[in-house]
Amino acid sequence: MRLSRRLRHQRVDETLSPTEMSVLGTLARCGSATPGELARKEHVQPPSMTRIVAMLESKGLVRREPHPDDRRQVVVTRTEQAAAMLEESRTKRNAWLASLAEGLTPEELAVMRQAAPVLEKLAHL
């Protein structure tokens, strides 16, 4: 938890909430989605996701497009600006983690390499 909190501070745009950053990350990983799908993936209520999408859209980080099969819905897609911001944030976090890892012993690094696939799996369950 402590490492997670410290990692959240290693981002480029401090004006975005952790939830807004998470939504952008979900769009980056999973591709475009309806607000309802995003709400389920992010474990928030649909009205909350509607507000989050509106905020991200006002900042130019997502765009809404008509759903290809259902005209009552929209599909949310991240913009190039969001992709660039996420990449810059990822680079900053990776550099920070690399600097921390320099203080680990070879044995500790080996344990981290073994644990990484398990932690990745847990993160996406």
Side-chain angles (χ1 to χ4, degrees):
M1 293 290 274
R2 186 177 197 173
L3 180 61
S4 177
R5 276 194 304 272
R6 291 177 68 194
L7 265 174
R8 277 194 294 260
H9 291 288
Q10 303 299 317
R11 59 181 189 212
V12 176
D13 189 339
E14 294 289 329
T15 66
L16 294 178
S17 71
T19 303
E20 291 166 339
M21 285 295 291
S22 181
V23 168
L24 291 177
T26 296
L27 289 171
R29 266 190 325 281
C30 302
S32 300
T34 66
E37 291 166 341
L38 285 171
R40 281 189 295 282
K41 288 178 182 180
E42 293 296 320
H43 305 287
V44 299
Q45 294 299 313
S48 296
M49 185 55 64
T50 299
R51 286 189 296 278
I52 292 166
V53 167
M55 178 64 69
L56 292 171
E57 186 177 36
S58 73
K59 292 181 179 189
L61 299 171
V62 300
R63 66 179 172 275
R64 298 179 210 215
E65 301 169 335
H67 192 284
D69 302 323
D70 185 349
R71 291 183 181 258
R72 296 171 294 169
Q73 293 193 53
V74 296
V75 175
V76 180
T77 304
R78 71 184 170 126
T79 63
E80 288 301 316
Q81 178 183 343
M85 186 198 61
L86 286 170
E87 181 59 33
E88 191 176 346
S89 288
R90 187 177 302 113
T91 299
K92 184 177 179 181
R93 284 192 315 272
N94 287 347
W96 181 76
L97 282 171
S99 72
L100 288 181
E102 289 174 0
L104 298 177
T105 66
E107 294 79 20
E108 290 169 328
L109 287 171
V111 169
M112 292 293 292
R113 279 188 205 93
Q114 288 179 323
V118 176
L119 294 171
E120 180 73 20
K121 182 177 179 179
L122 285 174
H124 296 290
L125 288 180

